[in-house]
C-alpha cells in the first residue's frame, strides 16, 4: 500500500509476554466505496498479525468497523500479557484516546487465591503487605518466578537518602528539572511523579527496607508515601496490573496496625453534561 492511501498512523513498541520488544505500527487507510451499497477499509497493527480489509455499507461504517477489529486485536494481545509502549520504551501506552473502551484491560487476577502474597496485598490490604525480614530471600525469589519487577527503598539512612533514592529511580531531574532531595519531598509533587515503569508481565512491587527508621523521623511523610502507593495500586488494578508495596518488618514493628488512609462515604456522583447540539 502506498503512503498516500494512509489517513492516520502511530508508531508503537510491542512488549510481548516473553519479554521480547519489537517496533510496530497502528494504521488506517482511506475507506473506499466499491459500490452504491458497499465500502471497504484497510487497517493494520503491524507486528502482531495481518488484518483483513473490513467492508461496510458506507465509508464511515467501514472505517469504524475496521477500528473495532484493530481494537480487538490489541485487546487480545494485552489479555495474553502483552503491552503497547511508546516508541521510546516508556509506557504502557494510554489507548483510551485512540480506542475509548473498545480495548478492555485484562483482569489483574483471574483466580483469587487468598494465600498468595500479591492477592492479599493488592485486594485485601489496599496495596500494602508486610513480610518478615527472615522470609525476604524466599519472598524475593518468588517475585522473580512470578515475573515481578521491583524497586527497593532502603530507609536505614533516613529521609534525605530516601528522597535521593526515589528521585533517582523516578528520573526526577529529567522529568521536572530539579533533584527531589532538594527540599522536604513535597507529597503533592510525589503523587504527580509517582510513575514506575510496569514490565510486560504487568507486575511490580515496591519494597521498603527498615521502614521504621523513616517513620520515626517523619511519620507524616511516611504515611503520605504509603497513601500514595496505595492509591497507585488501585489505579494499576483498574488497568489489569498488580502493583503493591511490601514493608520488610517483624512482628514487633510499631507500624503493624497503623491506619494509613481512611475511606469516607463520597459525595453523590454527578453525571457529565450531555454534549450540546450544534
Amino acid at each position: 500500500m502506498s503512503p498516500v492511501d494512509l489517513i492516520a498512523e502511530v508508531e508503537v513498541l510491542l512488549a510481548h509476554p516473553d519479554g521480547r520488544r519489537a517496533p510496530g505500527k497502528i494504521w488506517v487507510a482511506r475507506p473506499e466505496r466499491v459500490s452504491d451499497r458497499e465500502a471497504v477499509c484497510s487497517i493494520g497493527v503491524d507486528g502482531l498479525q495481518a488484518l483483513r480489509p473490513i467492508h461496510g455499507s458506507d465509508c464511515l461504517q467501514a472505517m469504524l468497523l475496521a477500528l473495532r477489529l484493530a481494537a480487538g486485536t490489541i485487546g487480545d494481545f494485552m489479555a495474553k500479557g502483552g503491552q503497547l509502549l511508546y516508541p521510546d520504551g516508556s509506557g504502557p501506552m494510554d489507548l483510551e484516546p485512540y480506542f475509548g473502551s473498545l480495548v478492555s484491560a485484562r483482569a489483574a487476577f483471574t483466580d483469587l487465591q487468598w494465600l498468595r502474597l500479591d492477592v492479599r496485598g493488592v485486594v485485601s490490604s489496599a496495596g500494602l503487605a508486610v513480610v518478615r525480614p527472615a522470609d525476604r530471600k524466599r519472598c524475593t525469589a518468588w517475585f522473580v518466578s512470578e515475573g515481578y519487577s521491583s524497586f527497593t527503598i532502603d530507609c536505614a539512612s533516613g529521609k534525605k537518602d530516601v528522597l535521593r533514592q526515589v528521585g533517582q529511580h523516578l528520573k526526577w531531574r529529567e522529568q521536572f528539572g530539579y533533584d527531589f532531595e532538594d527540599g522536604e519531598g513535597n507529597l503533592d509533587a510525589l503523587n504527580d511523579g509517582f510513575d514506575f515503569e510496569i514490565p510486560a508481565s504487568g507486575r511490580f512491587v515496591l519494597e521498603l527496607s527498615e521502614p521504621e527508621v523513616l517513620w520515626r523521623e517523619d511519620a507524616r511523610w511516611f504515611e503520605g508515601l504509603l497513601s500514595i502507593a496505595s492509591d497507585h495500586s488501585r489505579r494499576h488494578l483498574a488497568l489489569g496490573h498488580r502493583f503493591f508495596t511490601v514493608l520488610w518488618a517483624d512482628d514487633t514493628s510499631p507500624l503493624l496496625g497503623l491506619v494509613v488512609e481512611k475511606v469516607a462515604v463520597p459525595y453523590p456522583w454527578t453525571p457529565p453534561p450531555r454534549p450540546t447540539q450544534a
Side-chain angles (χ1 to χ4, degrees), residues 128 191 222-232 234 260-261:
L128 303 177
N191 186 48
F222 177 78
E223 292 168 17
L225 171 64
L226 293 189
S227 178
I228 292 170
S230 176
D231 181 64
H232 203 65
R234 286 193 294 269
V260 173
E261 185 177 357

Side-chain angles (χ1 to χ4, degrees), residues 134-206:
D135 295 322
R136 183 169 184 170
K137 185 176 181 180
R138 183 175 64 173
C139 188
T140 300
W142 182 80
F143 289 151
V144 174
S145 69
E146 290 291 318
Y148 275 92
S149 289
S150 65
F151 170 55
T152 301
I153 301 176
D154 185 357
C155 305
S157 297
K159 180 182 175 182
K160 189 71 173 181
D161 191 55
V162 166
L163 298 182
R164 179 192 60 79
Q165 295 174 61
V166 171
Q168 286 185 350
H169 187 81
L170 297 179
K171 297 179 172 61
W172 204 266
R173 173 163 285 277
E174 291 90 330
Q175 291 192 73
F176 304 107
Y178 68 96
D179 293 323
F180 190 53
E181 65 264 30
D182 293 344
E184 297 299 318
N186 183 277
L187 289 171
D188 289 333
L190 180 60
N191 186 48
D192 293 337
F194 204 77
D195 187 17
F196 295 88
E197 184 175 350
I198 306 300
S201 64
R203 304 177 182 187
F204 192 98
V205 60
L206 175 64

Side-chain angles (χ1 to χ4, degrees), residues 122 127 194 196 198 202 204 206 229 232-233 236 241-245:
V122 173
F194 204 77
F196 295 88
I198 306 300
F204 192 98
L206 175 64
H232 203 65
S233 179
H236 277 292
H241 304 155
R242 305 182 192 181
F243 177 97
F244 67 108
T245 300

Side-chain angles (χ1 to χ4, degrees), residues 26-220:
I26 305 170
W27 56 264
V28 58
R30 187 180 305 279
E32 298 180 2
R33 183 170 288 279
V34 295
S35 71
D36 292 341
R37 297 183 178 181
E38 186 179 8
V40 64
C41 183
S42 296
I43 197 164
V45 185
D46 294 349
L48 291 185
Q49 64 184 72
L51 302 181
R52 67 185 189 280
I54 297 298
H55 293 255
S57 60
D58 53 52
C59 288
L60 177 61
Q61 185 184 73
M63 184 174 68
L64 291 176
L65 292 174
L67 290 170
R68 282 185 172 272
L69 175 62
T73 301
I74 295 169
D76 181 65
F77 175 66
M78 293 170 60
K80 294 176 181 177
Q83 284 188 321
L84 266 66
L85 308 177
Y86 294 101
D88 64 359
S90 62
M93 190 174 183
D94 183 8
L95 297 174
E96 181 73 20
Y98 296 92
F99 297 105
S101 61
L102 293 179
V103 178
S104 300
R106 66 188 186 275
F109 297 97
T110 57
D111 184 14
L112 293 178
Q113 301 180 32
W114 296 104
L115 293 179
R116 287 180 59 105
L117 175 61
D118 49 5
V119 173
R120 293 175 66 95
V122 173
V123 181
S124 298
S125 302
L128 303 177
V130 176
V131 177
R132 299 176 183 88
D135 295 322
R136 183 169 184 170
K137 185 176 181 180
R138 183 175 64 173
C139 188
T140 300
W142 182 80
F143 289 151
V144 174
S145 69
E146 290 291 318
Y148 275 92
S149 289
S150 65
F151 170 55
T152 301
I153 301 176
D154 185 357
C155 305
S157 297
K159 180 182 175 182
K160 189 71 173 181
D161 191 55
V162 166
L163 298 182
R164 179 192 60 79
Q165 295 174 61
V166 171
Q168 286 185 350
H169 187 81
L170 297 179
K171 297 179 172 61
W172 204 266
R173 173 163 285 277
E174 291 90 330
Q175 291 192 73
F176 304 107
Y178 68 96
D179 293 323
F180 190 53
E181 65 264 30
D182 293 344
E184 297 299 318
N186 183 277
L187 289 171
D188 289 333
L190 180 60
N191 186 48
D192 293 337
F194 204 77
D195 187 17
F196 295 88
E197 184 175 350
I198 306 300
S201 64
R203 304 177 182 187
F204 192 98
V205 60
L206 175 64
E207 305 175 51
L208 300 183
S209 179
E210 299 194 47
E212 297 88 356
V213 175
L214 179 59
W215 174 71
R216 290 190 179 100
E217 180 179 347
D218 192 336
R220 187 191 69 84

